[in-house]
Amino acid sequence: MSVLCCRIPHFLTVLACRRQPAWTGRPLALVGPDDRIWAVSPAAQQDGVQAQMRPQQAQVYCPDVLLRDLDLDASQQAQADMLATAAQWDLPVEPLTWGALYVDLHLVGKSAASVRPLAAELGQRLRVTGGNALQPALGWDSGKFTAHAAAMQVMPGRVRLVDKVDEVRFLKPLPVTLLPLPPLHLQQLHWLGVRTVGQFAALPAAAVWQRFGAAGKRAHRWAQGKDDRPVRSAAPEEAGVTTVTLDPPTGLLAPVVAGVMASLHPTLAQWAKTLTGLRHLRLTLDFIANADQSLDLTFVEPASQSARVQAALVQHLTTLTWPGAVQAVRWQALATGELLAPQPTLFDLPDVRQDTPAVVSASLAGRYGDVLLRSQVVEPGHPIAERRSHFHALSAV
Amino acid sequence: MSASKQRRLEHAVASIQQRYGAQALRRGGDLGERALSPIATGFPALDAITGYGGAPLGALTLLSGRSTSGKLTLAYKLLANAQRPNGGAPHAVGLLDLSRTADPDYVHRCGVDLAHLLVGRPAIGRSAVNLLGDLVQHGGLRALVVDSVTDLAAASEGRRSLYALLPRLSQMLRTSGVALVALDEPHAPWLRWLNLDASHRLRQAAALHIEMQREQWLRRGGDLVGYRAQAQVLKRRGDAGVRSATVEIVFNGTVKARETW
Amino acid sequence: MSRLWPDGESISVQTDDAGRPLRFTWRSHTYLLAQIQQHWQVDADWWSEAGRIWRDYVAVTTTDGLLCVIYQDLLSENWFLSKLYD
C-alpha cells in the first residue's frame, strides 16, 4: 500500500479569518450547530480553549476569546474544493476530517523516491486551490495511521515520507495519544506509564486485547506499523436498510428517537471496535397517509458515540415538519470513516457537564453519605409552613 | 533523540489537530457574535451594573447584607436562572444549606425547579468546606449557593479549611465553570483584626460583590406586599459607571387565606 | 423569600397586657417590634398520636428592618421564631 495524507492545520479558523481578516491573530473559537466549540485558533489554544468545550467554558479560559458561529456552508464548500483537487488524478481519495484527506498512491509508486514528485505537486495544487493561508502538510507511508502521524508531525508546506523500513523507528517516540483510543483507555495507559506509541507497541498483544478489547487490538497493530486499511473513496457505499416499526404510530419525537437509537446502537458499538464511525446516515420517515420524508445526517468527523448520533438525530427531526404520525423509520448507513484520535492530553477533557443532582450525589455519596438531599413540595397549602415540603436523601431515591 | 527531532516532535504534539464536533446538520447562518451567558439576577437594572451582565460563571459572587435585605431572594433567583436550559433538560444547581433553614416551598416560588436542585446539609466544619470544594470541582452543577459564609467559617477547623481552599478556589471555578454564590452577613471590624473574618478573604477572592440593603416596605391597600432594596456593587469587572440599583422584592403569596405569604 | 426553622427557634417574647408581642430576644439580640402585619391561629393534628399543634402565628416587622414570623405554642406557651424573610 501507498498512502498520502494531506492536512491543513486549523482549516476552519483559517477559512474564517480569510473571510474576516480582522480576526487574524486573535483568539478565535468557532461554534457549531450543537452549541459546542468546533474549531480553535492557535491563539485561543494557547489559553486552553479546546474543541468540544461549551462557549461559556471557553470564555472562562480565555476572556478575550472571539466566539463566532461556524459558517457551515462555506466550510463544506472549501472541504469539497480540497477533495476535488486531490481527486484530479482519478486516484481514490478519502476525507478524514475538516481540511484533511487520504490519497491512495499505490498505482503511482510505493517508494519515497517515486512518490515525492506527486506529493509535491499535490501540495502545490492544494495551495493554489485554497490560497497561501491554507498550506497543507503532507505525510506518506504504506499505511494510513503512519501517514497521518507523519502529516501531523511535519510543518505546513512540507512533506514527510516514511519508508517501510523506517516505520517502527518513526512511530516509536510519538505520543500514544495519536491512537484513536477512547479517553478512558488512554488514561489507563497513562497510569500504566505507557506514554509513547513504541511503548504501547511493545506490550503483549494478548494483554492489550484483553484489557482494551478489539479497538485496542487494532490500535496495537497500527502502533507496530501494521495498518492495512484501504483508502476508500467518498462514493456512497452499498448498505442495507433497517426498518424500525413504531407501534402504535406516533407524532412524538421521543419514541421515534428511542426506536431509531435502539436499532442503531449495536451497529455503532460494532463499528467502534474497529475504530470506525458513522459518516453518512440516511433516514426515511414513513408517515401515516402522507408521503415519506427523507433526511441525511452527515458527519465530517465519523461518529461512533450513540449520544452524538442521537443529538444529531434530535436536532434534525425537530427542524422537520411532520405531516402526521410516524409508523416506521428506515435508516441506511451510507458511509463510514475512521475515528480520529481524541485530544492530545491524557487528562479528561474539561467540560461544563449537565448532570442531574442524582448523578452529582452518586459521585460524592461515598464520601459524604446522606448529607446530599433533594427537596419536594408536598402540601403547598398546608397551614403549617414546615409541613409544605420535605427533604429526602438522594441515595434513597 | 537529536535536538531538532525533539523540537519537531514537540511541534507535532503541540499542533495535533483538534477533534471537531461531529454533527453537520443545519445550514450555517450569518457569522454573528455568540452571546455569552452569565447568570441573570432577575433584576435587569442590577445585571447592567455587575460588569458581567449578571453573576459570572467560573467565579465567586459574594452577596452580603443583613436579614431581610433580599440577598437570599437574589441567590434563589440566580439558582432559578442558572437552571434555564439550552433546549434540553434544566441544568442542575446546588444549595449548601449550612444553616438548615432552606424552605423548599419558597425556593420553588422563586422559580427554582426542585427536581434539579441538590441540597447539601453537611455538619459545620471541615466536612462542609470539603463538600464545597468537591461540588465545585465536580463541575456537574451550573451554580452553587453557599448559605452562609458565617456558618462555613463558624468552627475553627472550618475556618482553617476554608482559608486553605481559597487559593485553589479560583482555578477550580475556572476549570469547572460553576457560578459560586456565597451569602454573608455584616461583621464587626475587630473580627478581621483577630483573623476571624472569613468574609474579608472571600471578598478578595470574589469576582463580584453585591451588598443588599432594604430601604422601604411596599404596601398595597395597607397590606405588606414586599420591599424595596438597594443593591450596591462593591466589586466588579470594570470601574466606570453606576454602582447601585434598586430592586423590588414582591412576595409571592401562599395559597391559604389566613396566611398571605 | 424566607428562612424556615422547621422545629422553631426558641425566643423569649415580651407582650403587652392584651398578649400582643412587643419585643423578642433571639440569639442574645433583642428586637423591638415595629408593626404586627398579620395574626392567625392554627389548630391541627388534634387527632394525631404525635399530638395537637395549636399555635398563634404573628407576622411582624421590627424597628431595625426585619420581617419575620413568630408563633406561640398555645399548649406550652413558649414562643418560637418560624421564618425570617431575606
Side-chain angles (χ1 to χ4, degrees), chain A residues 125-138:
Chain A
R125 286 195 189 185
L126 286 171
R127 195 164 56 219
V128 167
T129 303
N132 281 335
L134 293 172
Q135 282 264 28
L138 303 171

Side-chain angles (χ1 to χ4, degrees), chain B residues 138-154:
Chain B
H138 183 278
L141 304 174
R142 190 154 188 253
L144 175 64
V145 166
V146 178
D147 182 18
S148 64
V149 172
T150 304
D151 295 306
L152 198 59

Side-chain angles (χ1 to χ4, degrees), chain A residues 352-383:
Chain A
V352 177
R353 302 207 299 277
Q354 198 158 330
D355 292 336
T356 63
V359 168
V360 177
S361 172
S363 61
L364 298 175
R367 193 174 176 189
Y368 296 101
D370 286 346
V371 304
L372 295 170
L373 312 166
R374 218 163 82 181
S375 58
Q376 199 174 3
V377 175
V378 290
E379 290 188 70
H382 201 287

Side-chain angles (χ1 to χ4, degrees), chain B residues 96-102 124 147-148 151, chain C residues 3 5 27:
Chain B
L96 215 49
D97 179 25
L98 301 173
S99 62
R100 297 178 186 240
T101 58
I124 302 293
D147 182 18
S148 64
D151 295 306
Chain C
R3 300 183 182 285
W5 282 267
R27 293 183 181 173

Side-chain angles (χ1 to χ4, degrees), chain A residues 145-280:
Chain A
F145 175 70
T146 309
H148 189 198
M152 286 198 288
Q153 198 196 24
V154 78
M155 295 281 291
R158 299 282 187 272
V159 57
R160 175 65 192 262
L161 306 174
V162 181
D163 273 314
K164 186 73 183 164
V165 294
D166 295 326
E167 243 172 20
V168 172
R169 193 153 40 104
F170 167 76
L171 288 172
K172 197 174 172 185
L174 299 182
V176 72
T177 49
L178 284 178
L179 293 161
L181 290 167
L184 180 61
H185 291 174
L186 289 173
Q187 196 168 52
Q188 289 171 347
L189 286 171
H190 180 81
W191 290 334
L192 292 170
V194 175
R195 311 291 170 90
T196 68
V197 173
Q199 288 171 333
F200 181 66
L203 295 175
V208 169
W209 191 6
Q210 191 177 27
R211 185 84 181 251
F212 302 116
K217 180 184 173 189
R218 183 168 283 238
H220 191 244
R221 286 181 56 82
W222 295 356
Q224 296 170 333
K226 298 172 188 172
D227 181 2
D228 53 5
R229 291 173 298 158
V231 174
R232 293 175 298 179
S233 67
E237 302 168 359
E238 288 296 320
V241 177
T242 303
T243 302
V244 179
T245 304
L246 296 159
D247 184 21
T250 178
L252 299 176
L253 180 66
V256 173
V257 171
V260 172
M261 291 311 302
S263 167
L264 195 49
H265 179 74
T267 306
L268 290 172
Q270 191 58 35
W271 286 335
K273 288 183 185 174
T274 57
L275 297 170
T276 307
L278 179 64
R279 201 189 275 285
H280 183 180

Side-chain angles (χ1 to χ4, degrees), chain B residues 21-76:
Chain B
Q23 296 85 354
L25 305 172
R26 283 184 248 143
R27 294 299 167 190
D30 292 335
L31 290 171
E33 184 168 351
R34 296 292 299 198
L36 302 173
S37 31
I39 301 174
T41 62
F43 301 101
L46 177 54
D47 288 339
I49 63 172
T50 61
Y52 299 94
L57 292 172
L60 170 65
T61 296
L62 192 60
L63 300 180
S64 59
R66 299 192 62 211
S67 295
T68 319
S69 62
K71 63 180 186 299
L72 189 61
T73 301
L74 184 56
Y76 288 165

